[in-house]
Amino acid sequence: TVGTGATGQITVTTPRGEGSSSEVFTFGETPTITSFSPTSGTTGTVVTIAGTNFTGATSVAFGPEEATDFNVVSETQIMATVGTGATGRVSVTTPGGTVTSDADFTFIASQTDIAGTVTDPFGDPVEGATVCAQPYTTGGETWWCSTTGSNGSYTITVEPGYSRVKAGGAGYLEE
């Protein structure tokens, strides 16, 4: 039995003799994760991971994706930056082993653009029409809007999950 934190060569003794390892080993304590915050974020979000035995950490991941950067602040805290991200458990690897959180980190996709063209019934572009995107989740409380250009085109930057689009102009509103 080797005590936690022991350092040295490994020696094996059998009835036929004794042998020792050529390398010196350090036996570390198994890390633990007690919490992490925030529990969701996008690329570039800095997550504070709390736990124990983080000294010497070699890897931090969010689901299957490695953190783009991490800093072992102390034996009980790591600051890690979310990369391209994936939803999943947070894991930390140290010389004492790998630990995985009980809860998932939720990756939130960055804003995205909705783009299109508004045309009249004859297929001609409509200039000056108001085009809005509405989130399904709020039931109409929030809108992101744009006005079409001379070629009828529009671009609306929205948060993830927004996909209901309405266009209106010259006294009408169509879905």
Side-chain angles (χ1 to χ4, degrees):
T1 303
V2 177
T4 301
T7 301
Q9 292 178 304
I10 299 174
T11 302
V12 177
T13 304
T14 69
R16 295 184 153 218
E18 185 175 284
S20 295
S21 64
S22 60
E23 297 199 24
V24 174
F25 289 88
T26 300
F27 299 92
E29 293 188 46
T30 304
T32 64
I33 295 176
T34 56
S35 66
F36 59 91
S37 179
T39 57
S40 64
T42 188
T43 302
T45 299
V46 177
V47 177
T48 301
I49 304 167
T52 60
N53 307 314
F54 291 153
T55 302
T58 57
S59 173
V60 175
F62 300 93
E65 301 295 329
E66 292 287 325
T68 56
D69 187 37
F70 70 91
N71 178 36
V72 179
V73 177
S74 69
E75 183 175 308
T76 61
Q77 186 180 59
I78 292 176
M79 304 292 281
T81 304
V82 177
T84 53
T87 295
R89 308 279 190 213
V90 176
S91 63
V92 174
T93 301
T94 71
T98 299
V99 62
T100 303
S101 65
D102 292 333
D104 281 347
F105 175 83
T106 303
F107 182 77
I108 300 170
S110 299
Q111 292 180 331
T112 189
D113 287 339
I114 296 175
T117 303
V118 176
T119 58
D120 65 19
F122 303 103
D124 296 322
V126 176
E127 181 179 4
T130 300
V131 182
C132 299
Q134 176 191 31
Y136 283 115
T137 56
T138 65
E141 298 166 13
T142 306
W143 290 83
W144 279 266
C145 299
S146 176
T147 303
T148 59
S150 60
N151 62 354
S153 67
Y154 65 89
T155 301
I156 307 169
T157 301
V158 297
E159 299 292 329
Y162 291 83
S163 58
R164 181 177 173 185
V165 177
K166 289 186 175 186
Y172 70 91
L173 181 65
E174 290 185 16
E175 272 189 68

